[in-house]
Amino acid sequence: MFRRIRNRFLRYFVIFIYFVIIFFCSIELNFLWLFGYSPDMQDIKSPVLSVGSEVYTADGKLIGQYYKENRSPIEFKEISPNLINALVATEDVRFYSHGGVDFYSFFTSVLSTAKGDRRGGSTITQQLAKNLFETRKKKSQGVIKHIPVLRTIVYKCKEWLTAFKIEHVYSKQQILTLYFNTVPFGNNSYGIKTASLKYFNKQPGTLNPAESALLIGMLKATSSYNPIKNPQRATERRNTVLGQMEKYKFLTADQYKSNVALPLGLDLSYVEDDSHGDSYLRRAVEKWLDKWCKENDYNLYEDGLKIYTTIDSKMQQYAEEAVTEKMKMLQKRFYNLWGNKNPWRDSKGVEIKDFILKNEQRLPIYKLLEKKYGGDTIKIQDYFKTKKRMTVFTWHGEQDTTFSTIDSIKYYAKILNTGMMTLEPSTGKIKVWIGGIDHRFFNYDHVNQSRRQAGSTFKPFAYLTALDNGFTPCDKFTDKPVSIKYKDNGEDKVWEPNNADFHFSYREMSLRWAMGKSVNSITAQLTEKVGWDKIVEYAHRCGIESPLKSVPSVSLGSNDVSVYEMVRAYSTFLNKGEKLDPLLVTKITDQQGNVIQEFKLKTEKVLSEETAWLMLYMFRGGMEEPGGTSQALWEYNGLWKKDNQIGGKTGTSSDYVDGWYMGITKDLVTGIWVGADDRSVHFTTSETGEGSHTALPIFGRFMEKVYADQSLGYTYGPFPKPWSKITKTYNCPSPHIEEDTTSTDSLSNPIDTTGVTPVQENNPENPESTPPNNQR
């Protein structure tokens, strides 16, 4: 075919053009999957930006976002002419005259590169093609990606093809708008609006020539020309861009001189709303939706979903305020208790000498240092002893300080943390979720990630088992020493639990009184009667999913559980004996508001209505029975109006490591845990460290705030009346007894925790309670 062309040079030229056309067609069609994906005209007409998803409270407040690219799109009219002039002068001076590819600029850049003066020849449209359609990312790569030189040619040809398509579909103004909305400025900042706010706290339409030149100059190398990290280089690059603007008549000589003389003028005061960033709640929603996203092929970080949670913004705020108020006081109490002494102690109160070393070894950097220094412990320790500037958490706000890694370990080990969750059992909706005191400094979620020994908050499952198997709240046991023989892994063992004050009253008590006062000996006797295997069965039935070691001490809380599990299990009693799967999300919509998914409450009947109601009656014993462990709530006057009733259970593990309170009203169930993240760090006395002094006050203050806000709809009132006929005797008032109200309900001697493996060390669990100083 080509032989018909007699002129040899013309023939070679035609052959060259022919193969160029074949080459471009092969790229466009991805022939034999050699070249990878290329955007078609439909892609060009409907470009899809990576749009993050948004998380809302039940009352419509935005509380979080998921995004890979932090961008805020703007329109052309919002872009300063200075930005456009700086961009055109620097990146593509013939932008308004070419059709997407500037071949003159391309060939001159090739010649310049060959002479050693490397410069780019890509037009603004080509750069847009690369940014918007990711022409060099994995999705766009074919088999040829493994051939170094050829793959670069293919990339460039793809950008040309895509640029021509873009120019065919969009006007020059639209191309500039798309470019400014997609160009990256580093540090997860995409688009000119995000960048102008971050560096100058200005809208992009108000930037002057110098500010515009600085931002456009960053595009060459966002890290090298970052004005915060490299102000000198950024200034030089800015002045280069201003020089280009003068060269191409976008600035006069006087304007150039005045702008070059200006300082960088950064204004870093703009701070994005923290609620749009990471948080315990945002992470909890992500985890809650993980399975749904996989099953339905959605990506929270790219698909622009709107997620509506069950969280009430006002209740969440009240809970956060209560946590802040009470945890500040607890932290001060903790510091006063230990003073300059180190609080990391074993069960005998002896300081753990290798505490710091073990914490160093848990750090991800430790193995890297071992490799770097060949296991030289002296050099590793020198690294950990080196002082450096850092920002630390305090209850008075973030503070800059100079700490070594060792200083940091010591400082944070003494910080108390908390986890709190509130659930509305009638709907299954989670109303409050507080995973800790500050997500930025403490990522671990103490609602559903952390599991800690439950102490006496687990006792109700022993009484539940009894009530559902023939016992009544009025059945009586005697407070006396107990010795229980059992086998564990074939080994004979004996469990002899003591009461909190190492004293047995030998008094006969009803089961309601015993649970309200949290008497260990009677709980142990009941455990022997009903069987510890049975108690484990009932706990699982109500919603405890953590593995539970079946030993006699299970009823005193020797196992680790989460706040989430405990709230879920306790809600079974208020929900007429129906176990539920708590709802954190109600619905998901797309960007246009079309509902993609609605989530409905799932329940399962696990208890009779009679047993469930009797358990609520038992929980009231904590307030009504002599020595009841919840009676510190009488101090909160805002709780006791219109015959209001509250039930609950305190809990504290051995050595006052973990403090718990589970509170129940006629509408809500709230669970709260308080303690240090490391189990060897703890309070030392019942007056300072029991759940009634750590977790209960948070509940009391929170509920005062909830009741005070009538718009929430949670009113005072008694617990519900029986949902069905009560066949068991339950109304058996206990005698009023004058007793020492400073007595405790924390077990000082360890209970049997054989087979129980806490996160860091095996601290046995014990029950807890503290009657108030002013009983009602």
Side-chain angles (χ1 to χ4, degrees), residues 522-622:
I522 293 179
T523 304
Q525 293 174 58
L526 196 64
T527 300
E528 187 175 28
K529 289 281 187 182
V530 300
W532 40 92
D533 290 342
K534 200 81 169 176
I535 293 171
V536 169
E537 176 191 329
Y538 271 83
H540 284 317
R541 185 189 296 185
C542 289
I544 301 295
E545 295 180 343
S546 294
L548 301 174
K549 178 70 175 180
S550 184
V551 290
S553 62
V554 65
S555 58
L556 300 191
S558 58
N559 289 281
D560 285 1
V561 294
S562 69
V563 171
Y564 179 92
E565 290 175 299
M566 291 295 283
V567 172
R568 178 191 186 189
Y570 271 53
S571 69
T572 305
F573 310 128
L574 199 57
N575 200 38
K576 302 181 181 181
E578 292 193 353
K579 179 183 70 175
L580 51 82
D581 290 328
L583 288 174
L584 186 55
V585 177
T586 54
K587 70 176 180 179
I588 299 175
T589 70
D590 59 20
Q591 286 183 290
Q592 288 71 44
N594 301 312
V595 177
I596 298 172
Q597 181 74 55
E598 287 188 286
F599 297 93
K600 303 296 183 182
L601 179 63
K602 297 178 181 178
T603 62
E604 177 188 356
K605 192 72 172 178
V606 295
L607 300 173
S608 67
E609 291 185 352
E610 179 181 12
T611 298
W613 186 87
L614 286 173
M615 282 304 297
L616 292 182
Y617 179 72
M618 295 283 285
F619 280 115
R620 282 166 45 197

Side-chain angles (χ1 to χ4, degrees), residues 371-475:
K371 184 176 181 181
K372 179 179 180 179
Y373 297 124
D376 189 330
T377 57
I378 295 177
K379 290 183 178 180
I380 293 174
Q381 286 306 307
D382 286 341
Y383 174 87
F384 285 129
K385 291 176 183 178
T386 302
K387 302 277 188 178
K388 47 186 172 290
R389 297 290 297 174
M390 64 176 65
T391 302
V392 298
F393 166 85
T394 79
W395 279 111
H396 303 290
E398 298 175 6
Q399 289 188 6
D400 293 329
T401 188
T402 302
F403 268 179
S404 68
T405 303
I406 293 175
D407 294 333
S408 179
I409 290 173
K410 290 180 178 180
Y411 177 78
Y412 280 112
K414 299 175 184 178
I415 301 291
L416 299 176
N417 221 313
T418 189
M420 176 178 178
M421 174 179 156
T422 297
L423 179 72
E424 185 179 70
S426 62
T427 61
K429 294 179 179 179
I430 299 172
K431 294 296 183 178
V432 168
W433 187 296
I434 297 179
I437 55 176
D438 191 310
H439 186 271
R440 179 183 173 188
F441 295 93
F442 308 93
N443 296 149
Y444 203 58
D445 192 314
H446 295 88
V447 171
N448 67 346
Q449 280 185 291
S450 176
R451 283 168 169 75
R452 301 294 284 254
Q453 290 184 328
S456 293
T457 58
F458 206 85
K459 281 181 180 176
F461 297 113
Y463 291 87
L464 163 66
T465 307
L467 293 182
D468 208 44
N469 288 273
F471 288 84
T472 76
C474 292
D475 286 339

